[in-house]
């Protein structure tokens, strides 16, 4: 199930929030937790029940491992084995076909992909469980019941795209019975945050996403400026989609009195790659730092070892994001840029004027923007083709076609009221796309993010929430434009 | 997000106001859409409302289910320019048109099935059969819709009421179709007619040799003929069996007026360049012979009419002819002209092969 769907907004979310708060209000805390677990499994297995089965099996096995780790302290072998089981499971579902294809290429043979499902959210709940196993090894999960563990792992707001919550921040909230009463402060704030996230997803991410999909369906036809355009489109798509999702997760979770960690802090305002990773997918960075970087020694074993550790972290991050060489290269480049940032950090003056900061933001954004293009490409050869196209100076492309998706009903409504708007769009078909880019850039570079702005339950926020929720739901489906090429 | 301290009562009111307002707006929007029902998903047109007929894939299913008629015109863009008013006169009928631009046989057949199960006493179905869609997988509904952003609207054609939210809470439908129909009604505009529905004559860039030649490029000519394979013949057979013939057999009281679309000589020029002239003719012959076995199928074809297919002024590209050809098709159907039968089909094939195998294609350029 997706947050941005009719069934979630109109049925699942209101029902789940209401029943959860009702049960908590009656002090049926166990029933409330069990209900939420069931709701999470329904959420997970809604389109494919097998996803819920995989989650259940993974959850049970890991809880048993964690219990063994608590009983027998200092069992490094047991911990290694438990981690290996999870990593192997993740490897099988996510990376087995990729490895088979790589192996076939080396041997020069034919590759036939196996029909392996990719269970929903497996990357996220695997990482959460790995963290939990390490915490169990350290004796930190003694008073966590199976019910609490099951809810922590299956919790539907965090299932598909995180944030990667840790037991130390999640479980105490379940045990804090005082915080489980229905609270209109949290309900209204949560609803507001959810609507902000939904608006980001439907009105920005999905619109950018359609243009990107169109372009990547015909990459050979792109001009040099098209490549720049779609890199920007994808950069904004990714941000609005991911941060929108996280806002929705925080919002719906907040309504149920469970606070989730922030995952984004205006990442495109970063002044360096190091700063970028302090603002982008913050819980992933936190997980990698706590459970991999620090155990490897962090920065305490000399400069060279520090840089190696950083590269390892980013290599793991790249691999975690997807089964393709593009993700690996993307991760490694980010790692190298991170090392470079550390190298030159000492050369940077502590206080920098606005101009210097702006230049650094632009440079960082440019690097991140083009690295996202690599992230999106289906193969290294496609990436090489697109990056090469950047420098070819090719003028003939498909700007009008990839921009056509930006002429959304909202613009057409404006065109019907503003006399010269329609003729402007006729003369400059890409104008709506540029307006969208401008609006996205303003939101990302100028506006304060949803965690910096103060929420006040007043008329302004009420009207915004109503408009955002209503218009976003109305935007879930459009009318297909069948531009039949043979016609 | 930082929260300010506000009285709990204020936030309770805020939450109640927002949720009730959203609920109200959803109900209002859905209610208006159900009432106007621009795509006839729930009911026939409401008297007093002026309906635009513009979105074939959204409206066809509703038209098939809720309108009253005894004749259906269907097919691809080859059938979009038919005038139902002409069919009404020629056949003394009450005709609707439900066409699927770019639709393969399966998609068109689904529309025909919907019409035949609508409760109307459907006496005849007039349907185009495109040459180029004969060799298509029987379960394929359409080719890649180039540059299309969204999938075709399954929610408009299935019987699942739960996905109707995509129709009832859809900003494009609400702001364009619902609001558009209401505005037209207030302005006193009449509803679109089926003559206008899907008609692309106004969109056509022009007709004639220069226009047609501008739509395709011959890369070079292959000297060897490409033979038809058994697999291709089976594909054609299965495609016709499932998506044309079975529906006719299931509805023996209905007459199926099918016609092979008279593509221009420029289409055959392209086939010739690819070595597929004989290939296409063999495919067509196999298809025709298969269709002639069905008693309630009347098959019409003009492939042997050099006066039509070689006249570039009839076409805007290799395949698409002007609406005067559609008029001619209807007239011939009503009069029984250009009807292919078991008795005359050999002569038809012979004339076709004579025309296309011996034509001077180089002279077209």
């Amino acid at each position: 199930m997706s947050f941005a769907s009719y069934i979630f907004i109109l049925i699942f979310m209101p029902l789940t929030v209401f029943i959860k708060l009702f049960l908590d209000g009656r002090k049926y805390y166990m029933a409330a937790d069990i209900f939420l677990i069931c709701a999470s499994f329904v959420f997970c297995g809604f389109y494919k029940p097998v996803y819920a089965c995989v989650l259940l099996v993974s959850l049970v096995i890991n809880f048993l491992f964690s219990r063994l780790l608590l009983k027998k302290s200092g069992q490094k072998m047991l911990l290694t084995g438990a981690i290996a089981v999870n990593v192997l499971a993740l490897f099988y579902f996510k990376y087995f076909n990729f490895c088979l294809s790589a192996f076939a290429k080396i041997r020069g043979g034919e590759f036939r992909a196996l029909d392996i499902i990719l269970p929903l959210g497996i990357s996220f709940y695997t990482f959460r469980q790995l963290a939990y196993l390490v915490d169990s090894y350290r004796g930190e999960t003694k008073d966590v019941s199976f019910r609490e563990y099951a809810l922590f792992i299956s919790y539907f707001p965090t299932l598909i795209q995180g944030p990667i919550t840790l037991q130390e921040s999640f479980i105490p909230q379940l045990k804090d019975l005082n915080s489980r009463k229905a609270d209109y402060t949290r309900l209204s704030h949560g609803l507001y945050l959810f609507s902000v996230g939904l608006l980001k997803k439907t009105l920005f991410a999905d619109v950018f996403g359609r243009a990107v999909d169109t372009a990547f369906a015909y990459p050979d036809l792109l001009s040099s400026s098209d490549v720049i355009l779609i890199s920007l489109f994808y950069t904004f798509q990714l941000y609005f989609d991911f941060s929108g999702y996280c806002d929705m997760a925080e919002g719906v979770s907040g309504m149920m009195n469970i606070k989730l960690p922030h995952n984004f802090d205006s990442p495109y305002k970063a002044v360096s790659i190091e700063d970028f990773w302090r603002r982008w997918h913050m819980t992933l960075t936190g997980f990698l730092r706590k459970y991999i970087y620090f155990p490897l020694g962090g920065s305490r074993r000399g400069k060279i070892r520090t840089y190696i550790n950083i590269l390892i972290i980013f290599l793991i991050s790249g691999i975690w994001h997807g089964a393709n060489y593009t993700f690996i290269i993307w991760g490694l480049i980010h790692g190298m840029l991170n090392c470079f940032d550390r190298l030159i950090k000492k050369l940077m003056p502590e206080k920098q004027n606005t101009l210097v900061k702006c230049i650094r933001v632009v440079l960082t954004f440019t690097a991140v923007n083009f690295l996202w293009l690599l992230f999106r490409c289906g193969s290294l050869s496609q990436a090489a083709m697109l990056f090469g196209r950047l420098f070819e100076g090719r003028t003939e492309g498909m700007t009008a076609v990839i921009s056509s998706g930006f002429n959304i009903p909202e613009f057409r409504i404006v065109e019907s009221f503003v006399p010269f708007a329609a003729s402007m769009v006729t003369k400059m078909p890409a104008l709506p796309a540029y307006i969208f880019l401008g609006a996205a850039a303003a939101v990302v570079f100028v506006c304060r993010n949803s965690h910096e702005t103060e929420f006040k339950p007043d008329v302004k926020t009420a009207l915004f929430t109503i408009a955002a929720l209503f218009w976003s739901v109305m935007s879930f489906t459009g009318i297909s434009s069948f531009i039949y090429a043979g016609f | 997000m930082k929260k300010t301290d506000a009285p709990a009562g204020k936030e309770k009111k805020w939450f109640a106001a927002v949720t009730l307002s959203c609920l109200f707006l959803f109900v209002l929007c859905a209610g208006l859409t159900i009432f106007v029902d621009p795509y006839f998903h729930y009911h026939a047109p409401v008297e007093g409302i002026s309906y635009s007929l513009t979105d074939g894939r959204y409206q066809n299913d509703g038209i098939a289910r809720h309108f009253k008629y005894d004749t259906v015109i269907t097919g691809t863009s080859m059938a979009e320019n038919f005038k139902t008013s002409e069919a009404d006169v020629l056949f003394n009928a009450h005709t609707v048109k439900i066409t699927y631009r770019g639709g393969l046989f399966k998609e068109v057949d689904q529309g025909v099935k919907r019409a035949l199960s609508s409760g109307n006493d459907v006496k005849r179905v007039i349907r185009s059969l495109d040459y180029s869609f004969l060799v298509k997988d029987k379960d394929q509904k359409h080719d890649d819709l180039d540059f299309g952003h969204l999938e075709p609207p399954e929610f408009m054609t299935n019987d699942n009421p739960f996905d109707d939210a995509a129709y009832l809470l859809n900003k494009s439908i609400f702001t364009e179709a619902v609001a558009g129909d209401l505005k037209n009604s207030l302005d006193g505009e009449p509803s679109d007619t089926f003559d206008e529905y899907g008609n692309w004559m106004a969109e056509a860039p022009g007709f004639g040799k220069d226009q047609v030649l501008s739509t395709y490029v011959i890369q070079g000519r292959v000297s060897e003929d490409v033979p038809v394979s058994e697999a291709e013949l089976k594909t054609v057979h299965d495609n016709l069996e499932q998506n044309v013939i079975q529906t006719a057999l299931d509805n023996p009281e209905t007459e199926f007026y099918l016609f092979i679309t008279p593509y221009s000589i420029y289409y055959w020029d392209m086939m010739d360049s690819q070595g597929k002239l004989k290939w296409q003719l063999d495919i067509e012959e196999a298809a025709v012979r298969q269709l002639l076995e069905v008693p309630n199928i009347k098959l019409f074809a003009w492939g042997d009419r050099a006066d039509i297919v070689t006249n570039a002024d009839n076409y805007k590209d290799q395949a698409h002819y002007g609406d005067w050809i559609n008029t001619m098709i209807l007239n011939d159907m009503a009069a029984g002209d250009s009807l292919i039968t078991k008795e005359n089909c050999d002569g038809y094939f012979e004339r076709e092969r004579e025309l296309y195998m011996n034509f001077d294609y180089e002279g077209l350029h």
Side-chain angles (χ1 to χ4, degrees), chain B residues 21-296:
Chain B
S21 300
C22 286
L23 193 61
F24 171 74
L25 287 170
F26 288 140
V27 169
L28 178 70
C29 190
L32 256 178
T33 304
I34 291 172
F35 171 69
V36 175
D37 198 9
Y39 295 159
F40 320 114
H41 194 52
Y42 300 108
H43 55 74
V46 172
E47 212 175 294
I49 293 183
S50 167
Y51 289 91
S52 293
L53 297 177
T54 51
D55 296 308
R57 282 184 166 85
Y58 289 84
Q59 293 177 302
N60 284 347
D61 192 78
I63 290 167
R65 287 187 294 119
H66 294 295
F67 278 55
K68 295 284 171 239
Y69 52 89
D70 60 15
T71 300
V72 177
I73 293 177
T74 187
T76 62
S77 49
M78 299 298 181
E80 285 184 315
N81 290 344
F82 278 119
K83 294 187 177 66
T84 56
S85 56
E86 291 176 355
D88 287 349
V89 168
L90 287 167
F91 294 98
N92 190 24
H94 190 51
T95 312
V96 295
K97 187 167 64 177
I98 51 170
T99 49
Y100 301 85
R101 193 175 287 190
L104 301 183
F105 289 3
K106 185 176 172 89
E107 187 175 23
V108 174
D109 184 57
Q110 284 183 336
V112 172
K113 283 185 163 88
R114 283 298 240 191
L116 292 168
S117 60
S118 64
N120 284 298
D121 178 21
V122 181
K123 293 196 174 73
R124 68 189 64 76
V125 172
I126 298 171
R127 176 180 173 174
S128 62
L129 296 176
D130 293 49
Y131 280 111
S132 50
F133 292 165
L134 283 167
V135 190
K136 293 290 182 188
D137 184 88
K138 61 181 170 66
D139 293 317
Q140 194 180 349
K141 286 165 84 171
H142 31 255
D143 273 335
D144 285 339
L145 298 170
D146 292 351
F147 310 134
H149 298 297
L150 298 164
E151 286 299 306
E154 299 291 343
F155 59 89
M156 296 304 304
T157 57
N158 64 29
D159 294 321
N160 177 8
F162 293 106
D163 61 8
D164 281 6
Y167 175 51
L168 300 175
L169 300 175
N170 183 319
K171 74 180 176 195
S172 298
I173 291 175
F174 192 75
T175 59
E176 292 171 22
V178 174
D181 286 353
L182 286 174
K183 184 180 181 300
N184 288 340
S185 309
L186 290 170
D187 292 344
E189 300 272 350
S191 292
D192 287 347
T193 65
F194 279 111
D195 283 4
E196 295 159 316
Y197 184 37
N199 192 301
W200 48 256
M201 287 298 292
E203 294 169 49
F207 293 80
K209 183 175 175 176
D210 291 343
Q211 167 57 32
V212 177
L213 285 174
S214 73
T215 62
Y216 72 105
V217 172
I218 300 284
Q219 302 282 7
R221 288 196 191 267
V222 169
S223 54
E224 273 186 38
D225 284 339
V226 174
V228 177
S229 68
E230 286 304 315
E232 285 167 331
L233 286 173
K234 185 171 188 318
T235 298
V236 171
H237 180 274
D238 292 349
N239 190 12
L240 284 173
E241 193 62 41
Q242 175 182 286
N243 299 318
V244 181
I245 290 171
Q246 193 55 52
T247 304
L249 292 174
D250 290 342
N251 294 274
E253 303 300 317
T254 304
E255 280 190 316
F256 288 78
Y257 287 69
L258 309 182
F259 68 96
I260 309 278
T261 52
Y263 283 178
S264 76
I265 195 69
Y266 298 88
Y267 171 79
W268 295 97
D269 178 28
M270 181 63 89
M271 290 289 110
D272 177 65
S273 73
Q274 295 168 357
K276 292 178 110 176
L277 254 184
K278 191 173 177 303
W279 177 94
Q280 182 67 85
L281 288 165
D282 289 346
I283 293 280
E284 185 195 353
E285 182 172 339
V288 166
R289 291 193 189 281
Q290 187 183 352
L291 290 166
L292 289 177
E293 294 301 321
V294 185
N296 57 332

